[in-house]
Amino acid sequence: MKFAVQLYSVRDHIKTGDDMLNILEKVKEIGFDGVEFAGYFGLEAEELRAKCEELGLTVVGSHLGLDDFIPENLEKTLNYGKTLGAMYLGVGGAPHSTYEEAKKTGEVLGAAAVKAKELGMDTYYHNHTEEFEILKDGKNAMDIISDEGCALELDTYWSFCAGINNTEYLKAHKDKIILVHIKDGVDRKPMALGEGENDLCKVV
């Protein structure tokens, strides 16, 4: 199994493009195989890709805003992702509190997925805890969003906080989940793996 790091985890150390390039070197030194971006800090896709290739880091994905996937911005978003060499492009959260909001979010990402797949990529939605609340007809926001053709990235700590059995969820949704965040915490505050309350054995 290969592991990538979500660079939001080290956000306090990234303020500039130069910081980003330095952090890429650090995460490679630590032993990660890939990265998931959370902002590009003004760097061109070509420069970021070159740095990742130099270090041997796979660009797993990137957290963006939902507006990056609306029709007027989609071409720019996909072109950057393709040049970067990203496998997936997604959002770390978007409107989902009502059935209508979740469906609209799913529609935007689902339509973007059609175009992304033409370029060899896919779109995904990353959950927090609230996305598991039932909204309508026994479905939660994760169900509603993925029903529109968007893949999922399961954050296993937030799902744990929502009372989800991660083993069962991963098995039941294996055809929709393309990325998994292995995360731990206490009282909804992130902790190092193994230092929190998440039952990580149900994840890995």
Side-chain angles (χ1 to χ4, degrees):
M1 182 182 295
K2 293 187 176 182
F3 292 92
V5 60
Q6 165 54 264
L7 293 177
Y8 186 75
S9 302
V10 291
R11 60 192 178 278
D12 293 340
H13 302 283
I14 310 175
K15 305 299 182 185
T16 67
D18 286 340
D19 290 341
M20 170 67 80
L21 297 177
N22 289 332
I23 282 294
L24 291 175
E25 294 181 357
K26 295 297 183 182
V27 299
K28 179 63 177 180
E29 289 175 7
I30 292 172
F32 285 102
D33 305 298
V35 291
E36 182 181 30
F37 286 97
Y40 302 127
F41 295 86
L43 295 171
E44 296 295 330
E46 293 85 354
E47 185 174 6
L48 273 179
R49 178 169 184 160
K51 187 65 174 180
C52 288
E53 288 180 344
E54 172 194 328
L55 297 171
L57 288 170
T58 298
V59 180
V60 175
S62 186
H63 278 195
L64 304 165
L66 188 63
D67 282 349
D68 291 306
F69 295 92
I70 62 177
E72 54 264 44
N73 298 328
L74 184 58
E75 182 177 3
K76 178 181 178 181
T77 299
L78 295 182
N79 285 342
Y80 192 106
K82 182 65 175 179
T83 302
L84 182 59
M87 300 167 65
Y88 311 108
L89 298 172
V91 298
H96 64 272
S97 298
T98 65
Y99 172 83
E100 290 74 20
E101 285 183 347
K103 183 173 176 58
K104 180 60 178 178
T105 291
E107 288 173 347
V108 170
L109 291 172
V114 174
K115 298 294 185 181
K117 288 174 182 176
E118 293 175 358
L119 298 174
M121 298 181 288
D122 205 348
T123 64
Y124 63 90
Y125 184 89
H126 168 279
N127 65 279
H128 292 84
T129 302
E130 296 78 11
E131 282 89 344
F132 292 99
E133 296 176 0
I134 300 300
L135 296 178
K136 184 178 180 181
D137 299 330
K139 292 188 173 184
N140 57 41
M142 294 286 274
D143 299 325
I144 297 163
I145 290 170
S146 62
D147 281 348
E148 299 299 325
C150 172
L152 299 174
E153 176 179 59
L154 181 67
D155 186 305
T156 57
Y157 182 60
W158 296 130
S159 57
F160 169 82
C161 289
I164 299 297
N165 181 305
N166 281 313
T167 298
E168 294 178 359
Y169 193 88
L170 286 163
K171 289 180 179 178
H173 298 81
K174 61 182 180 180
D175 294 333
K176 294 184 176 182
I177 296 172
I178 56 177
L179 294 171
V180 176
H181 271 190
I182 302 174
K183 194 159 68 181
D184 209 350
V186 174
D187 294 330
R188 303 197 179 198
K189 296 179 181 179
M191 303 284 289
L193 295 179
E195 294 183 1
E197 57 195 2
N198 193 5
D199 187 353
L200 296 175
C201 290
K202 290 184 177 179
V203 180
V204 297

